[in-house]
Amino acid sequence: MDYTAVALGRAIRRLREEHEPPMTQQELGERADYRGGAGVSISRIESGTTRPRPDKLAAIALALGLTPRQLEVAASREARAETLRGGNTAAPQKATRKRDLNERLKRVQERTKLRTDAVAVLGAAFNEAHDSARDRFFLRLVEIGQSIEGVPLPELPPETGVVSGAHDDRAHQASRTTNALSNKITAALLGGAGGAALGGATGAAAAYATFSAAAVFGTASTGAAISGLSGIAATNATLALLGGGALAAGGGGIAAGTLLLTGIVAAPVAVLAAGGLYFASRRRTKAEEERLTAQVEDAEAQLDTSQAGFDLLVDTLEKATSILDYVAVHAAHALTKWNSRLGPRPLDWESLNPSQQQSYREFIDIAACELVVDSIDATRFITVVPDHLEKLAVDVAGILRHADSTVRALV
């Protein structure tokens, strides 16, 4: 059907407000099965800055008591009504020639505020889940693991000849990365990185960063190589793609990148604030008008170019938060229960029965999944060139899908 994202957003807003009883954006988002930042997601849709995926459109329609087709009909009617009113719901590139400069400036500000609000809400939710999973599961496993001696390194599965670019290949690479990380975490514990992290670092964040760096890059906090580390070069390459370097530098990943992300998504307005907003508040000379027009066009272009990346960022934050929430609750509970059944410490690996050994390996796999999720460099979604975004989206989706299915299958 012929309607724009703006027309769809207006239709959803009208139907939400006319609903009996009226729903808030938060209520509609929750009923439509949006997770973290439900209200922010609906706000972005209603403002026309993003268009929901078909499954989300169907969920929104259901929450409004409609079928997807009925919602699309309402959006088409909204588009026709706007045309009759003399309005313009064309794409931003065409609208720039018809919309008043001050209105365009206001639109840039509104779109940017929606983004910064979304980053603040979703980033806070992620950080809370990240800290909880770190404290309740990951560091607790490190503490337990350093008391078990003689743990053998798990064997990596052999390389297989899969077709590059195929779905099976992406799944294979995600599995390979997690398996190699499990191997590295085990080796780091054997090499004493757990004790170095928990004993030498100040605070949970520092301990997590210290151990993560040791596990991923093979160096303890002293910089000494950990004996027995193994793995594959592809693992380090994958982690570099996902932000492993930032994590090793200070426990970064998404958690440490929230403020940076906020600055990146606010960049279009920052350009205007350098001079354009001042000119927008009073009568402008022709030169000032031309300067502000150029600045607004640049800001609009930045917003349009980065929209797909921002949508991917929101989707990734929601999925990553869900995975870490699950680890913080279910994996932490299973770990506590398993640990309570072990004997006095220290323990030798051979003193554990096969079931206990299997559980330990599964907890290590969960920790590897947690580490991979936390290593995602979310800032790249906004800054990567559009031609590379699709591959980045595929890679990250594969990592998240594998981590989610692995964690839920094990606990």
Side-chain angles (χ1 to χ4, degrees):
M1 292 188 180
D2 187 18
Y3 61 85
T4 65
V6 173
L8 175 61
R10 287 175 177 165
I12 290 174
R13 180 188 296 113
R14 176 177 56 80
L15 291 166
R16 174 178 61 80
E17 293 174 347
E18 292 176 354
H19 189 272
E20 187 59 42
M23 286 185 284
T24 65
Q25 292 176 332
Q26 181 68 26
E27 289 170 337
L28 177 57
E30 290 175 351
R31 294 185 188 185
D33 200 29
Y34 282 91
R35 295 172 182 170
V40 173
S41 297
I42 297 300
S43 176
R44 293 171 56 241
I45 292 170
E46 290 186 351
S47 68
T49 59
T50 187
R51 184 191 293 263
R53 303 191 309 264
D55 60 323
K56 290 298 185 183
L57 180 67
I60 291 172
L62 180 62
L64 293 169
L66 304 171
T67 65
R69 178 171 178 79
Q70 288 173 325
L71 180 53
E72 290 185 311
V73 168
S76 297
R77 289 174 178 167
E78 185 65 37
R80 289 195 296 271
E82 181 63 23
T83 300
L84 292 174
R85 290 194 296 266
N88 181 12
T89 57
Q93 295 89 338
K94 296 180 180 178
T96 55
R97 295 191 293 270
K98 301 178 180 179
R99 195 181 306 157
D100 177 81
L101 184 57
N102 285 346
E103 291 181 355
R104 290 168 55 198
L105 176 59
K106 181 179 178 181
R107 179 67 171 163
V108 167
Q109 292 174 297
E110 290 174 346
R111 290 179 67 183
T112 304
K113 186 177 186 303
L114 283 171
R115 289 190 179 190
T116 56
D117 287 349
V119 168
V121 172
L122 296 173
F126 176 90
N127 286 345
E128 182 178 353
H130 162 271
D131 290 353
S132 182
R134 177 197 67 200
D135 297 345
R136 298 184 60 194
F137 176 77
F138 195 98
L139 292 181
R140 183 68 179 126
L141 177 62
V142 170
E143 181 183 359
I144 296 170
Q146 68 178 344
S147 69
I148 302 176
E149 301 173 349
V151 181
L153 291 177
E155 291 185 6
L156 289 174
E159 289 283 4
T160 57
V162 290
V163 180
S164 178
H167 175 76
D168 288 344
D169 185 37
R170 295 195 295 270
H172 169 78
Q173 290 299 333
S175 175
R176 184 87 180 162
T177 298
T178 305
N179 289 336
L181 261 183
S182 297
N183 186 291
K184 290 189 170 193
I185 290 172
T186 302
L189 288 170
L190 289 173
L198 298 177
T202 303
Y208 179 69
T210 300
F211 183 82
S212 298
V216 174
F217 298 98
T219 54
S221 56
T222 61
I226 298 175
S227 61
L229 270 180
S230 63
I232 53 175
T235 302
N236 283 338
T238 301
L239 289 172
L241 167 71
L242 297 176
L247 184 144
I254 300 175
T258 301
L259 291 178
L260 177 59
L261 274 173
T262 303
I264 291 174
V265 300
V269 163
V271 172
L272 293 168
L277 293 179
Y278 168 72
F279 294 133
S281 64
R282 60 172 174 80
R283 287 180 64 107
R284 299 181 288 267
T285 66
K286 183 178 180 180
E288 291 170 344
E289 188 83 7
E290 291 176 350
R291 176 185 173 188
L292 180 56
T293 299
Q295 290 176 327
V296 170
E297 289 176 351
D298 181 51
E300 289 172 333
Q302 288 185 47
L303 287 167
D304 295 338
T305 301
S306 62
Q307 185 63 52
F310 181 74
D311 292 341
L312 175 61
L313 167 65
V314 170
D315 186 59
T316 299
L317 282 171
E318 290 177 341
K319 291 178 179 177
T321 299
S322 175
I323 293 170
L324 295 182
D325 275 335
Y326 194 91
V327 170
V329 175
H330 299 285
H333 175 74
L335 178 64
T336 298
K337 186 176 180 180
W338 174 79
N339 182 54
S340 68
R341 296 173 177 172
L342 299 180
R345 315 305 159 86
L347 290 168
D348 183 78
W349 176 255
E350 295 302 328
S351 69
L352 303 182
N353 63 45
S355 176
Q356 291 172 327
Q357 292 178 353
Q358 179 62 28
S359 293
Y360 179 79
R361 293 202 184 283
E362 290 174 353
F363 289 132
I364 293 291
D365 288 342
I366 293 171
C369 290
E370 179 181 345
L371 191 56
V372 167
V373 169
D374 188 38
S375 298
I376 295 174
D377 183 5
T379 60
R380 292 201 63 191
F381 299 157
I382 306 297
T383 59
V384 71
V385 295
D387 291 345
H388 297 165
L389 182 62
E390 183 176 356
K391 182 180 185 305
L392 179 63
V394 169
D395 290 339
V396 172
I399 289 291
L400 290 173
R401 189 183 307 111
H402 178 75
D404 186 62
S405 61
T406 298
V407 170
R408 293 177 186 275
L410 295 179
V411 292

